[in-house]
Amino acid sequence: MKKVIEDNRHVYWNPYFGGFLLGLLIIFTFYMTGRGLGASGVMKSSVVTIVDQVSHEHAKNNAYFSRFIEEGKSPMNNWLVFETIGILAGAFLSGSLAGRIGFRIQHSPKITSRRRLVFALIGGVLFGLGAQIARGCTSGAALSGMAVLSTGGFITMLAIFGTAYLFAYFFRKNWI
Amino acid sequence: MGPLIPNEYLSYEWNIVIALLIGLVFGFILESSGFSSSRKLAGVFYGYDFAVLKVFFTAAIVSVIGLYYMDYLGWVDMSMLYVHPTYIWGAIVGGAIMGLGFITGGFCPGTSLCAVAIGKLDAWVYVLGIMVGVLIFSEAFGGFESLYNDSYLGNITLAESLELPASWIIFAVTIMALVAFFIADIIRKRVSKIFY
């Protein structure tokens, strides 16, 4: 068991090293684009695109979607979409180098894969809903917001972590 | 000088290349730091792994100190940078819903993309869930609209909200992060180890 713990510790980067590089990347991103990083934006663009393809009328009449539809311009032609293609490629590269690629469902030994997938779906729905209400997720609102001392960014960050700590006890079986 | 793209030093085509490059590095850093593992991410809420706290706050401090220092040196114009707008109730309620999503799903959108890239099927389902969440929000937008637009304070910073110099706030946040890192290591030693 000791061997396993030793291995476990060295699988990933030192968190301070990762955090330092991420900080430099945020500075670079603001220096180049004047904005921060994002992640949930691409899911919104995808949903807008799908709804627009299924029924253009419906998307145009929706008070929220219509904000993101411009005539003659695809919602997928967007800075965040290209950034996301980069995220997928970068994570795949890192996973390949470390030998972490493979189709699998990761979960606590105390629960079934089915339970993990159900909770993953619920968690996704909640995060998608919350990210729209707060106008951004952990990357766009909290992390990029904190880099420029945005009051809203700090409030969002505190609300995310505070609520997660508050409810952690009820979901402990899923994780420990 | 900076930011370069808003000041039109770079063309739109370069903008796309920059977006891909930034994403590439972002994804690489997140995956290498272990953020493609939901059990590692959830560890911060049970005290068996504090990678989220350490990576997140180190990044926040490095970026805020770096940006304000570059502004001081005249390399970047802080007033041109996009400040996330403050809608108090949207930030609190949206953040709380995201927190609940974090503890049930084990990912946030950025980390789920990293897990999608290395083949975690739970992350594929999670991303599908996010898209369902966005759809629910937009279809029920009328019901959310007042919450969404309530208590708008503008694109303000903590320096303006608290009426304190930015340097004091950055110093206080840095001290808080260092204390958090110290306490995290103490807790980590007392909690039983979990293999994931």
Side-chain angles (χ1 to χ4, degrees), chain A residues 79-126:
Chain A
W79 199 91
L80 285 174
V81 175
F82 291 102
E83 184 221 34
T84 302
I85 297 169
I87 293 178
L88 292 170
F92 185 77
L93 197 64
S94 163
S96 306
L97 293 173
R100 283 193 285 266
I101 307 284
F103 289 110
R104 62 189 184 281
I105 300 166
Q106 186 189 22
H107 59 81
S108 164
K110 287 180 191 159
I111 61 167
T112 61
S113 295
R114 189 192 159 86
R115 181 178 158 114
R116 167 67 188 133
L117 292 181
V118 170
F119 274 87
L121 186 69
I122 297 170
V125 172
L126 289 170

Side-chain angles (χ1 to χ4, degrees), chain A residues 13 31-32 34 58 62 65 77 79 86 94 100 102 104 106 116 127 135 138 149-152 165 168 175, chain B residues 3-5 12 15 31-32 37 39 44 46 82 84 86 103 105 108 118 121-122 126 138-139 148 157-158 161:
Chain A
W13 281 355
Y31 182 70
M32 295 307 278
H58 184 75
N62 183 296
F65 280 155
N77 187 1
W79 199 91
S94 163
R100 283 193 285 266
R104 62 189 184 281
Q106 186 189 22
R116 167 67 188 133
F127 221 111
R135 293 173 164 76
T138 348
L149 292 182
S150 154
T151 305
Y165 271 111
W175 306 110
Chain B
L4 297 187
I5 292 170
Y12 179 73
N15 200 354
E31 212 288 324
S32 295
S37 163
R39 290 197 75 199
V44 72
Y46 300 99
Y82 177 77
H84 187 76
T86 301
I103 200 67
C108 61
I118 64 159
L121 297 171
D122 39 336
Y126 183 88
S138 55
E139 292 304 324
Y148 187 72
T157 66
L158 278 185
S161 299

